[in-house]
Amino acid sequence: MSTQELVFSKDCSDCPIRHRAVCSRCEPDELLRLEEIKYYRSYEAGQTLVWSGDRMDFVASVVSGVAKLTQTMEDGRTQMVGLLLPSDFVGRPGRDRASYDVTAVTPVLMCCFRRKPFEDLMERTPHIATRLLEMTLDELDAAREWMLLLGRKTAREKIASLLAIMARREASERPARARGRVAFELPLTREAMADYLGLTLETVSRQVSSLKSEGVIELEGKRGIMVPDFARLLEETGDDTDGGHLI
Amino acid sequence: MSTQELVFSKDCSDCPIRHRAVCSRCEPDELLRLEEIKYYRSYEAGQTLVWSGDRMDFVASVVSGVAKLTQTMEDGRTQMVGLLLPSDFVGRPGRDRASYDVTAVTPVLMCCFRRKPFEDLMERTPHIATRLLEMTLDELDAAREWMLLLGRKTAREKIASLLAIMARREASERPARARGRVAFELPLTREAMADYLGLTLETVSRQVSSLKSEGVIELEGKRGIMVPDFARLLEETGDDTDGGHLI
DNA sequence: CTTGTCGGTTGATCTCGATCAAAGCCGTTT
DNA sequence: AAACGGCTTTGATCGAGATCAACCGACAAG
């Protein structure tokens, strides 16, 4: 398959700059230059892609699957600090050591770019930096919302918030769905949810059960979550519901 | 005072790109273009510069003083999500509404740039975007460390961590000081510390007292903190102390 | 079929930090 | 000097979530 083929047949789904379907200024020759320095890697669930402190000579974009960034204290307490879904970017141009553990939550396919050439390309292609800045600012916003969750929300609100975030993200992928009704796969174990929310897995389990028994959510098998009334779920998050951006 | 004068006499201390004394590629004429679109604003302690949701047609750089970014829930629970010290950047190119409340903690002087012209300048001056990306990535790292603190640390560790962060930042400003011994002004009230750490002000007060009575810190007047042995303080943070970057 | 493992649930108890309440300490105003 | 307001400290009590422990169900391996 020619490089050209790859780029356009897949709608450049592995170009980190295009991934979120925003950068309309991606020129074909710039994409080609990206093609030259990229390669794929796949990982199985549970596998750690990078350890905190490791040398990291690539940056990458998640093509499929879910991965997490975690920080761990000496005594084993761990906190998830990033959840990577398809189209998310990993790695940091200009730094050669990873700051967090990166672990596959489900099987993951990454599209990697060798770091040095990627940095060179960034120098020559200004709007890649602009796009990356935009994505990083989005991540920073998400991190700050997450901080409010960690610092001030109750266990119940935390669970509801996590479900709302996942549901919203799911909905944005496939916007066609019944009004207010959302169903999605939650790819996280109770323990991973606990690490996300700064709780213990027992508390997560109890609160999920409680939301289920009150009809806010329905469980479908192991990982399926069904939200009959999204607005109802939002009420449980403690967030401003009339903030406009409902979904 | 001529523009030239201002730029070079103050070592461009109000240029957000140069603020952290990193961007060695700032050309005089680029700095001049920044000069043309900037203005100063000062605020008194307690004053809110921007309300979440407000229109924000500038970006800015803190020249002096301390400001905070906070998020508040309907019922009044608030969480600080950013602490802005001199040289920090506020605002987001490409977005016209503020996402957080920005409040002066001490009297603050801001160097503001009208947003649209700043964005235009960014287009024409690629390494401004690069520099901004770098700064944003630093902030993201800080936010993620903060998430570990909020999600997993004990009250005592939280206090120690905050003090260590402030001490470290202080030390980097004026690197000349006795080995292990650091003194600094903590510009936050107990309530602000509580908002930073996801605690109540009573808990903050108790833990500070406890650290004092155990000799980890000494209080000098209202706001002065003296750390006789920085390594000792670090032990209390729960962080990896042999992570190299001690101070 | 048994055994093991992994993820999840549920129960009993404990504890850290929240909450409620009362003073204390300045610095400023009257 | 007295009164006041903002900030802090300290005490008593309460409760949400952690901890410890048992058990369940699904699935894979022996």
Side-chain angles (χ1 to χ4, degrees):
Chain A
M1 150 169 59
S2 82
T3 312
Q4 276 282 37
E5 277 295 319
L6 188 62
V7 173
F8 296 106
S9 66
K10 296 172 67 182
D11 192 27
C12 194
S13 70
D14 35 21
C15 162
I17 310 308
R18 267 210 160 178
H19 246 144
R20 288 186 190 169
V22 171
C23 178
S24 56
R25 293 172 300 176
C26 248
E27 300 295 338
D29 57 325
E30 289 162 4
L31 295 178
L32 284 179
R33 269 179 280 162
L34 276 173
E35 287 298 311
E36 284 162 17
I37 61 171
K38 87 177 184 194
Y39 56 97
Y40 292 94
R41 292 217 52 180
S42 65
Y43 303 86
E44 38 189 283
Q47 199 179 351
T48 294
L49 324 203
V50 189
W51 294 99
S52 171
D54 275 4
R55 218 189 144 63
M56 203 172 162
D57 39 29
F58 62 93
V59 296
S61 182
V62 178
V63 177
S64 66
V66 179
K68 60 182 179 178
L69 305 184
T70 55
Q71 276 188 315
T72 303
M73 300 171 66
E74 290 126 291
D75 61 6
R77 282 176 280 173
T78 78
Q79 174 66 50
M80 199 188 296
V81 295
L83 186 60
L84 302 171
L85 302 184
S87 90
D88 282 337
F89 191 77
V90 208
R92 173 166 175 163
R95 168 172 302 178
D96 70 342
R97 303 247 161 224
S99 309
Y100 324 99
D101 299 334
V102 185
T103 310
V105 171
T106 64
V108 166
L109 178 63
M110 306 284 288
C111 172
C112 308
F113 301 87
R114 289 185 298 122
R115 192 164 59 80
K116 194 71 186 77
F118 186 85
E119 286 167 10
D120 295 342
L121 183 59
M122 248 178 67
E123 295 248 339
R124 280 179 285 128
T125 318
H127 68 258
I128 291 190
T130 308
R131 177 73 190 112
L132 225 38
L133 174 59
E134 202 175 312
M135 289 170 70
T136 306
L137 283 164
D138 281 342
E139 264 190 280
L140 189 55
D141 278 350
R144 285 172 165 163
E145 208 164 309
W146 200 336
M147 284 170 55
L148 174 65
L149 177 151
L150 289 172
R152 295 301 186 193
K153 289 191 178 179
T154 65
R156 188 185 174 89
E157 289 168 340
K158 286 178 176 184
I159 300 286
S161 299
L162 171 57
L163 295 177
I165 289 169
M166 298 301 287
R168 199 177 276 129
R169 191 119 181 191
E170 185 73 10
S172 71
E173 303 291 300
R174 57 192 89 154
R177 75 197 188 298
R179 200 73 219 141
R181 192 181 187 80
V182 200
F184 60 98
E185 291 292 302
L186 196 128
L188 305 176
T189 64
R190 298 287 179 245
E191 188 178 24
M193 292 173 70
D195 286 346
Y196 187 111
L197 301 170
L199 297 171
T200 60
L201 61 95
E202 292 95 330
T203 299
V204 170
S205 182
R206 279 184 243 273
Q207 296 294 339
V208 169
S209 297
S210 155
L211 286 175
K212 185 181 73 173
S213 72
E214 292 174 33
V216 181
I217 59 173
E218 287 162 32
L219 305 186
E220 291 169 347
K222 202 90 173 184
R223 291 287 161 82
I225 304 278
M226 216 286 278
V227 181
D229 179 1
F230 192 72
R232 174 72 206 288
L233 178 63
L234 276 187
E235 282 169 27
E236 299 287 350
T237 64
D239 291 333
D240 210 352
T241 89
D242 45 51
H245 59 88
L246 271 188
I247 218 169
Chain B
M1 148 171 59
S2 83
T3 312
Q4 276 284 35
E5 278 293 320
L6 188 63
V7 173
F8 296 106
S9 65
K10 297 172 67 182
D11 191 26
C12 193
S13 70
D14 36 22
C15 161
I17 311 308
R18 268 208 160 179
H19 248 144
R20 288 189 191 166
V22 170
C23 180
S24 56
R25 292 171 301 176
C26 249
E27 300 294 337
D29 58 324
E30 288 161 5
L31 294 178
L32 283 178
R33 269 178 279 161
L34 275 172
E35 287 299 310
E36 285 162 16
I37 60 171
K38 87 177 184 193
Y39 56 97
Y40 292 93
R41 292 216 54 180
S42 65
Y43 303 86
E44 38 189 282
Q47 200 178 350
T48 295
L49 324 203
V50 190
W51 293 99
S52 172
D54 275 5
R55 214 185 148 63
M56 203 173 164
D57 38 31
F58 63 92
V59 296
S61 183
V62 178
V63 177
S64 66
V66 180
K68 61 182 180 178
L69 305 184
T70 55
Q71 276 188 316
T72 303
M73 299 170 68
E74 291 125 292
D75 61 5
R77 283 175 280 173
T78 77
Q79 174 66 51
M80 199 188 296
V81 296
L83 186 60
L84 302 171
L85 302 184
S87 91
D88 281 336
F89 190 77
V90 209
R92 171 165 177 165
R95 168 174 301 180
D96 69 343
R97 303 246 160 222
S99 309
Y100 323 99
D101 299 334
V102 186
T103 310
V105 170
T106 65
V108 166
L109 179 63
M110 306 283 287
C111 171
C112 308
F113 301 87
R114 289 186 298 119
R115 192 164 59 81
K116 195 71 185 80
F118 186 85
E119 287 167 10
D120 294 343
L121 183 58
M122 247 178 68
E123 295 248 341
R124 280 180 284 127
T125 319
H127 67 259
I128 291 190
T130 308
R131 178 73 190 108
L132 225 41
L133 174 59
E134 203 176 312
M135 289 170 69
T136 306
L137 284 163
D138 281 342
E139 263 189 281
L140 188 56
D141 278 350
R144 285 172 165 165
E145 210 163 309
W146 200 337
M147 283 169 55
L148 175 64
L149 177 151
L150 289 171
R152 295 301 185 192
K153 289 191 178 180
T154 65
R156 187 184 175 92
E157 289 168 340
K158 285 179 175 183
I159 300 286
S161 299
L162 172 57
L163 295 175
I165 288 168
M166 297 303 287
R168 200 178 275 128
R169 187 117 184 193
E170 185 73 10
S172 72
E173 304 289 300
R174 54 191 91 156
R177 76 200 187 293
R179 199 71 218 142
R181 191 181 187 80
V182 201
F184 60 97
E185 291 291 304
L186 196 131
L188 305 176
T189 65
R190 298 287 179 245
E191 189 179 24
M193 291 173 70
D195 285 346
Y196 188 110
L197 301 169
L199 297 171
T200 60
L201 62 99
E202 294 95 328
T203 299
V204 170
S205 182
R206 279 184 243 274
Q207 296 294 338
V208 169
S209 298
S210 155
L211 287 174
K212 184 180 74 175
S213 72
E214 292 174 34
V216 180
I217 59 172
E218 287 163 32
L219 306 186
E220 291 168 346
K222 201 94 175 181
R223 292 286 161 82
I225 304 278
M226 216 286 277
V227 181
D229 179 0
F230 192 73
R232 174 72 205 290
L233 177 63
L234 276 188
E235 283 170 24
E236 299 287 349
T237 63
D239 290 333
D240 210 352
T241 89
D242 45 51
H245 59 88
L246 271 188
I247 216 165

